[in-house]
Amino acid sequence: FDPLAASIDENLRHPAVPAKAAPAVSSAMNQLVRTLRNAGYTVQGVRNGEVVMVTIPASELFAPGATTLKSTSQPKLRGLLPYVQRTDNYKVIVAAHSDNTGDELYNDRLTADRANAVDEYFFNLNNSTETGIIPYGLGYDEPVAPNNSVQSRARNRRIEVYFVPTAEYIDKIKKRR
């Protein structure tokens, strides 16, 4: 499995958690959900609680139409660094989304550049050591709200950071049981 050649959906599904280990993995990932919520993040479990998704409004990280992180975004991202650095436990996926303002090509480029900016931020914060982040710019293809109001478009402009348990972490959790 090559995570860099895979689609976001394939990366979110891989590695699969064996049915016997699913409750323990979900429990471990739920602990991450609680920790990140307590730190002030908007977090939810996906894939039956086996994957953790942090959602950050794009406006907290980027000025309108910008692909360079705002200086005020650093505390928000810095709090995720300890988890991004746990490459033995988590595969990290960064997905940037936009609203449908502007054409498709513009939004695809904007979101790709934003996902790469977040990846680069963690790379630099990690002393120029690879983080293994897999960035995706998804344009306006996956709205969470209709693009028919200012508030709904703002909800669609977001960065999602996924923590997917690695096969190594799944094995560690299985051994603890």
Side-chain angles (χ1 to χ4, degrees):
F1 182 80
D2 180 2
L4 297 177
S7 71
I8 187 169
D9 291 331
E10 291 167 328
N11 264 310
L12 289 172
R13 287 192 306 265
H14 189 273
V17 176
K20 279 184 164 182
V25 170
S26 292
S27 177
M29 296 306 282
N30 194 41
Q31 178 58 46
L32 179 60
V33 167
R34 287 192 301 275
T35 301
L36 291 170
R37 266 197 197 127
N38 289 340
Y41 292 97
T42 301
V43 188
Q44 69 184 63
V46 295
R47 202 180 90 179
N48 298 317
E50 297 170 353
V51 173
V52 172
M53 179 180 74
V54 175
T55 303
I56 304 170
S59 62
E60 291 185 17
L61 303 179
F62 299 95
T67 58
T68 303
L69 287 164
K70 298 192 292 192
S71 60
T72 57
S73 68
Q74 294 182 11
K76 192 70 163 184
L77 290 174
R78 187 178 298 274
L80 296 175
L81 182 63
Y83 310 101
V84 169
Q85 290 175 321
R86 295 298 315 263
T87 56
D88 55 330
N89 285 1
Y90 311 114
K91 171 173 60 174
V92 180
I93 298 168
V94 172
H97 300 269
S98 67
D99 63 23
N100 68 351
T101 306
D103 66 30
E104 185 175 1
L105 181 60
Y106 168 79
N107 282 292
D108 288 348
R109 283 187 182 153
L110 175 72
T111 57
D113 289 347
R114 285 179 170 183
N116 287 326
V118 172
D119 179 22
E120 185 176 325
Y121 173 79
F122 284 118
F123 174 79
N124 291 330
L125 200 60
N126 200 35
N127 299 316
S128 299
T129 302
E130 283 300 323
T131 59
I133 289 174
I134 305 163
Y136 290 95
L138 299 177
Y140 56 69
D141 292 336
E142 296 182 13
V144 292
N147 281 298
N148 59 5
S149 70
V150 172
Q151 294 85 1
S152 292
R153 285 190 296 276
R155 284 187 56 213
N156 289 330
R157 294 187 301 269
R158 68 199 187 277
I159 306 299
E160 295 169 339
V161 181
Y162 294 89
F163 295 94
V164 181
T166 62
E168 183 180 44
Y169 189 47
I170 294 166
D171 286 343
K172 275 195 256 182
I173 293 169
K174 285 192 313 192
K175 288 176 184 170
R176 284 189 221 154
R177 294 179 54 195

